[in-house]
Amino acid sequence: MKIQKTVQIPLFSSLASELKFALLLTSLTFLGLIVGLIGENVPKNMSQGHLIMWGGFGLSYVAGGIPAGYEALKSLFSKRRLDVDLLMVLAALGAASIGQVADGAILLFLFSLSNTLQDWAMGRTKNAISALMELNPEGAIIRRDQIEKWCELDQIKIGDTLIIKPGERIVADSRISQGYTSVDESPITGESHPIDKDFNDFLASGTINLNGSVEAMVIRSAGESTLARLVKLMENAQTQKSRTEYITEKYESPYAILVLIAVPLIFAGLYFWGGLEIKEAWYRTMTFMVVASPCAVVISTPAVMLSAMATAARAGVLFKSSASVDTLAGIRTIAFDKTGTLTQAKMTLKNIVSEDEEYILALAAGLEMHSEHPIAKAIVQAAQEANIRPIELHEAQAIPGYGIEAYFESKTQSDVETVGEKAWAGNLRLARRQGACLSDEYQNILDQFNKQGSSSVVIGVGKKIVGIMFVEDALRVGIADVMSDLKKEGIEHTVMLTGDKKEVAKKVAEQVGLNAYHAELLPEDKLQLIGELSKPIAMIGDGVNDGPALVRADLGVAVASGTDVAIDSADVVLAKNDLGKLVGALRLAKEARKTVLLNLFFAFAVIIIVAPLAVAGKIPLPLGVIAHEGGTVFVVFMGLRLLAYRM
Ligand code: ADP
Ligand code: MG
């Protein structure tokens, strides 16, 4: 079954072939230039000289000019915008018109080279991501022939049953066969409000399951993996440009128009009022046009951003757009989720307080097998290790910030409307919501464990609490160092936003070295706090409950081990789950910002200094070409330099 592979591969191969084509054109332009120069310099009495020269330069103009001219005309007619590509082609033709054919060819070659280098940087990003994809192949839990197993995406077949937990992406088009839920279809429709899904309803591949734990029958083979989607997003990074890019882009077209208007005016001015000969006036005007083309300005930002994104991707930090690189550079406050972000996603069950430990573990595992939460994983694993079979429950619903609940008997399977009793597992808030009350004895034990930093899970049936479990969480390795490094990089404020109890939050905040903590938060509280804390703010999270806050923050960062909801909501994904990479990414982002400013300064300086000199006739065309295109190549190389940056 290679279905999935054929979905993914065109994405990469098309890019590779695009790059090859660009490289071919640039090489041909170069070849033409060289041949043309040879032809130009053969002794005049050799009749083939002219032929070689025109053949060479002709090739150069065709290979370098036609693709750029085609793109320029396309955007002129379809988008009604004039871009610098057109100026470049006109400038090359202008150079040819005054007998400086070689200069035109050099212009086209360098222009083509800088574009190819950009494509190459983009390709590096793609390669880095595809390497990550091979590192952790994606899959889903399915049931086939009564056996539940994890299955790679391309192995999933029509007729398999997907077992979909809250917060997970639906990996294939399917229909619900058990349970009910609501789904976020915004990845497909762009509309982000939850849509209720019941028995036999259609689940589209790529959408995100929100609260319910459901089973669904696959009706079409699997769609793209999350990483493949990220790659696409990065390809579309063009549509979400960074601020500086946006500014230069906004003025690109008016500027190009300005230059085109200035050209005849300058020519007329030099000829009629300057008293120059027509040939000299035209020569100076063409030199001006070459020099005034803002190629370096336009290319200065994307060259830097693409390289930064590629370098970051290699280190496992995936920026979804170049705008996010720019945003990261300015971040002053960082808000961290606790569970799964500051702490490892791997928790362990430490203690069970109940009259019947085995039953409680079976019940809790029966509930938690429907949850994505790190606490849930700890409990399910403990049951597995103790060889205890989870109790079968139905219609499980996660309640972000509270816990999970499910029923002993399924509504959808029997057509009787009476549902069985409700079982639940979660925090004290959930217990209160169910109308359950903690006995003094339980309360004492709870306080004691919380003070030691263990999180508690209360388990109940109906209004009755049947037991409490304590899970222990290890901090991520080296997390305290990460915090002090972030401070050194100019992050003024670090704060924890957690749904866990205050005592636990306090202990972790102290250990990690955070400035502040806010505990017992619901998803909407996290969202609100993000709005209130000082800006610009980044939020780092992993859970379903972090989604809204990740979207609201100036920069949302998701840990890849987290839920698909978090990954989808974020602007940046830490693919290797290493928060330390954030420090490197921050340094890189600042370096990128600095390089962009330097590039822009340089590019404008060249124009401002050289353009008037061209009009004054102080600069011959070849020098103008070198100043202009040298500037362009310089800014591209300044960008590519970031490819070698050590994160
Ligand atoms: P955090 O913000 O620290 O990542 P969450 O908001 O995900 O924490 O969860 C908040 C609290 O809700 C947890 O500390 C836990 O008490 C409870 N909770 C959430 N989901 C579950 C679950 N599946 N099982 C048990 N408790 C849960
Ligand atoms: Mg979390």
Side-chain angles (χ1 to χ4, degrees):
M1 286 277 290
K2 286 279 176 213
I3 293 168
Q4 166 63 12
K5 290 268 158 55
T6 54
V7 177
Q8 281 183 19
I9 284 173
L11 206 69
F12 293 105
S13 62
S14 79
L15 241 135
S17 67
E18 240 167 63
L19 180 61
K20 266 187 214 146
F21 187 59
L23 204 66
L24 178 73
L25 287 177
T26 306
S27 314
L28 285 178
T29 314
F30 185 64
L31 183 73
L33 173 66
I34 297 298
V35 171
L37 285 174
I38 292 172
E40 207 175 36
N41 290 304
V42 293
K44 286 277 176 281
N45 52 9
M46 265 179 72
S47 60
Q48 294 96 324
H50 261 81
L51 214 63
I52 297 174
M53 183 183 99
W54 286 113
F57 288 147
L59 175 66
S60 218
Y61 275 65
V62 168
I66 288 187
Y70 171 73
E71 288 298 321
L73 289 177
K74 208 169 73 180
S75 86
L76 184 64
F77 287 113
S78 66
K79 291 187 222 148
R80 307 222 158 268
R81 51 167 293 147
L82 197 79
D83 44 44
V84 282
D85 295 39
L86 192 65
L87 276 185
M88 288 325 295
V89 177
L90 288 179
L93 290 176
S97 77
I98 47 176
Q100 309 281 351
V101 193
D103 290 328
I106 292 175
L107 196 69
L108 289 171
F109 162 63
L110 290 174
F111 187 63
S112 168
L113 177 67
S114 61
N115 281 332
T116 303
L117 286 175
Q118 272 205 83
D119 283 354
W120 179 65
M122 193 74 185
R124 292 283 292 245
T125 314
K126 305 286 149 55
N127 286 344
I129 297 175
S130 64
L132 284 172
M133 287 169 82
E134 274 161 31
L135 207 67
N136 25 350
E138 249 183 290
I141 296 177
I142 62 156
R143 189 180 321 110
R144 183 187 294 164
D145 309 328
Q146 319 290 349
I147 298 166
E148 272 181 34
K149 60 178 177 188
W150 185 87
C151 188
E152 256 186 60
L153 279 191
D154 55 358
Q155 307 289 323
I156 294 174
K157 292 194 289 207
I158 294 171
D160 287 339
T161 300
L162 294 175
I163 299 177
I164 311 164
K165 290 178 188 173
E168 282 186 344
R169 181 186 302 284
I170 292 149
V171 297
D173 286 349
S174 50
R175 284 189 187 283
I176 295 191
S177 54
Q178 205 178 102
Y180 66 95
T181 187
S182 56
V183 167
D184 177 2
E185 293 191 338
S186 62
I188 288 183
T189 61
E191 303 252 343
S192 92
H193 48 89
I195 296 170
D196 289 336
K197 298 282 182 179
D198 214 327
F199 182 69
N200 208 29
D201 280 348
F202 176 72
L203 301 178
S205 166
T207 58
I208 288 192
N209 179 28
L210 293 174
N211 299 330
S213 163
V214 293
E215 296 186 2
M217 172 118 95
V218 176
I219 56 177
R220 249 186 297 264
S221 48
E224 285 164 348
S225 65
T226 303
L227 276 169
R229 301 172 70 89
L230 282 178
V231 176
K232 272 220 180 119
L233 273 170
M234 298 180 79
E235 256 179 86
N236 295 342
Q238 297 305 98
T239 55
Q240 275 185 35
K241 303 198 174 189
S242 75
R243 210 163 31 106
T244 28
E245 222 167 333
Y246 177 70
I247 293 169
T248 47
E249 178 121 308
K250 200 163 115 190
Y251 293 111
E252 177 186 341
S253 195
Y255 183 89
I257 292 171
L258 204 72
V259 173
L260 280 186
I261 293 174
V263 162
L265 289 181
I266 287 175
F267 176 68
L270 289 173
Y271 179 61
F272 291 112
W273 294 288
L276 290 181
E277 264 182 53
I278 190 156
K279 219 178 141 204
E280 174 65 13
W282 186 243
Y283 182 91
R284 288 192 193 181
T285 309
M286 285 304 110
T287 312
F288 166 80
M289 184 152 107
V290 170
V291 174
S293 300
C295 295
V297 175
V298 171
I299 238 168
S300 56
T301 312
V304 175
M305 290 303 176
L306 285 176
S307 305
M309 284 166 80
T311 299
R314 242 181 309 144
V317 181
L318 305 181
F319 284 93
K320 285 190 194 166
S321 72
S322 54
S324 317
V325 180
D326 200 46
T327 312
L328 177 60
I331 291 296
R332 289 283 163 273
T333 307
I334 302 185
F336 295 87
D337 161 61
K338 179 181 75 76
T339 322
T341 302
L342 291 175
T343 67
Q344 293 178 5
K346 295 186 202 88
M347 292 186 149
T348 44
L349 180 65
K350 199 175 159 199
N351 225 310
I352 304 178
V353 183
S354 164
E355 282 153 20
D356 184 350
E357 287 188 14
E358 259 183 45
Y359 170 73
I360 287 300
L361 194 52
L363 180 61
L367 281 158
E368 299 289 19
M369 59 185 271
H370 295 289
S371 169
E372 265 269 306
H373 204 274
I375 291 182
K377 285 182 201 154
I379 292 176
V380 172
Q381 198 187 346
Q384 249 166 19
E385 278 163 14
N387 247 329
I388 290 174
R389 249 182 83 106
I391 292 176
E392 202 173 312
L393 297 162
H394 300 279
E395 287 165 34
Q397 295 287 309
I399 314 166
Y402 289 84
I404 187 154
E405 52 182 44
Y407 293 89
F408 278 99
E409 195 185 312
S410 168
K411 192 160 50 169
T412 46
Q413 292 226 318
S414 64
D415 37 23
V416 200
E417 263 300 329
T418 51
V419 287
E421 252 196 307
K422 190 201 275 177
W424 46 269
N427 50 22
L428 274 179
R429 192 165 19 201
L430 181 67
R432 251 175 265 132
R433 198 171 137 140
Q434 309 289 351
C437 209
L438 213 58
S439 69
D440 287 347
E441 193 200 336
Y442 271 148
Q443 186 69 55
N444 283 339
I445 302 172
L446 202 83
D447 289 345
Q448 211 180 318
F449 274 100
N450 281 166
K451 278 207 190 85
Q452 292 167 19
S454 315
S455 303
S456 48
V457 182
V458 185
I459 297 125
V461 177
K463 287 186 175 175
K464 193 166 175 280
I465 291 174
V466 293
I468 306 185
M469 288 183 179
F470 294 96
V471 287
E472 207 175 46
D473 207 356
L475 290 179
R476 282 190 191 269
V477 184
I479 189 77
D481 294 336
V482 172
M483 289 307 144
S484 65
D485 286 347
L486 284 174
K487 291 247 163 74
K488 275 182 219 142
E489 285 307 313
I491 300 298
E492 287 153 9
H493 200 62
T494 52
V495 50
M496 181 205 293
L497 307 182
T498 178
D500 210 343
K501 297 257 300 183
K502 204 168 162 186
E503 292 83 355
V504 187
K506 182 164 184 251
K507 181 136 195 252
V508 174
E510 278 167 7
Q511 281 175 330
V512 175
L514 294 170
N515 295 129
Y517 65 90
H518 299 267
E520 295 173 41
L521 302 174
L522 291 175
E524 51 269 36
D525 302 328
K526 288 195 180 189
L527 181 68
Q528 196 187 341
L529 274 163
I530 288 293
E532 287 167 7
L533 288 163
S534 64
K535 302 225 150 36
I537 184 168
M539 164 83 197
I540 308 181
D542 71 318
V544 179
N545 60 330
D546 301 319
L550 289 172
V551 174
R552 174 79 172 267
D554 298 306
L555 187 78
V557 183
V559 188
S561 59
T563 55
D564 289 321
V565 174
I567 293 174
D568 236 52
S569 312
D571 305 301
V572 184
V573 180
L574 301 176
K576 291 182 183 162
N577 303 318
D578 181 359
L579 260 66
K581 290 284 179 254
L582 202 63
V583 183
L586 185 59
R587 280 195 205 114
L588 175 71
K590 285 184 180 171
E591 188 64 32
R593 189 180 254 194
K594 222 166 59 193
T595 312
V596 165
L597 288 178
L598 189 76
N599 271 355
L600 282 175
F601 175 77
F602 181 81
F604 276 119
V606 169
I607 293 179
I608 290 169
I609 296 169
V610 185
L613 290 178
V615 177
K618 296 273 191 274
I619 292 227
L621 182 63
L623 212 61
V625 168
I626 288 170
H628 175 261
E629 283 305 323
T632 309
V633 171
F634 172 79
V635 298
V636 170
F637 270 109
M638 284 298 281
L640 294 182
R641 203 175 46 103
L642 291 183
L643 283 176
Y645 192 88
R646 293 255 147 258
M647 262 178 73

